[in-house]
Amino acid sequence: NPSGMLILTEDLHFMVIVHNPDIPKFVSGDRANGTLEEYKTAVTNSLGVYGTYTIDEHGDFLEQHVLGSTFQNMNGSSRGPNELTEKVEGDKMTEHLRIADGIKVVLVWQRG
């Protein structure tokens, strides 16, 4: 049951947050005092990424440049059409994202 938000700006910046709203809250109520299991659950059920993107003369997606992420390994990386494709139909955008060899994720974003 994923949830999240994607923001694309006219000056070609993006921000995306994806998370699982159904995971349990930290028992302590303090994110600085969680258990190892609570931290693992939080990390594996959420992702935040921001950066810039480029488009072609028709407004079609070309490449995404990650400036920062909650998963440090993504910082400074770029994703082009081999890893990420976007298709817009009306108020809906479908993303096909290759996150590892043989693992693909499909995200459907609805304009709100």
Side-chain angles (χ1 to χ4, degrees):
N1 182 28
S3 185
M5 180 179 283
L6 169 67
I7 298 172
L8 301 168
T9 67
E10 289 183 15
D11 65 346
L12 304 179
H13 285 83
F14 76 92
M15 190 271 310
V16 62
I17 297 172
V18 180
H19 72 106
N20 177 353
D22 298 327
I23 62 173
K25 294 180 179 182
F26 282 32
V27 173
S28 70
D30 180 355
R31 71 181 193 155
N33 289 304
T35 66
L36 290 178
E37 189 61 33
E38 288 171 328
Y39 289 139
K40 180 179 179 182
T41 300
V43 168
T44 58
N45 282 274
S46 62
L47 179 66
V49 182
Y50 67 93
T52 62
Y53 65 99
T54 57
I55 56 176
D56 66 15
E57 64 274 3
H58 305 290
D60 294 326
F61 174 80
L62 290 176
E63 192 169 45
Q64 180 184 76
H65 309 281
V66 177
L67 299 176
S69 173
T70 57
F71 179 52
Q72 305 87 303
N73 296 35
M74 292 179 70
N75 294 347
S77 67
S78 293
R79 298 190 280 198
N82 289 333
E83 299 86 23
L84 177 63
T85 60
E86 317 267 354
K87 183 175 183 181
V88 177
E89 295 176 306
D91 285 343
K92 183 171 74 172
M93 183 175 81
T94 304
E95 264 186 352
H96 292 263
L97 176 61
R98 186 172 58 107
I99 59 173
D101 287 336
I103 300 175
K104 295 180 182 178
V105 175
V106 177
L107 300 169
V108 178
W109 300 97
Q110 180 70 42
R111 186 183 302 244

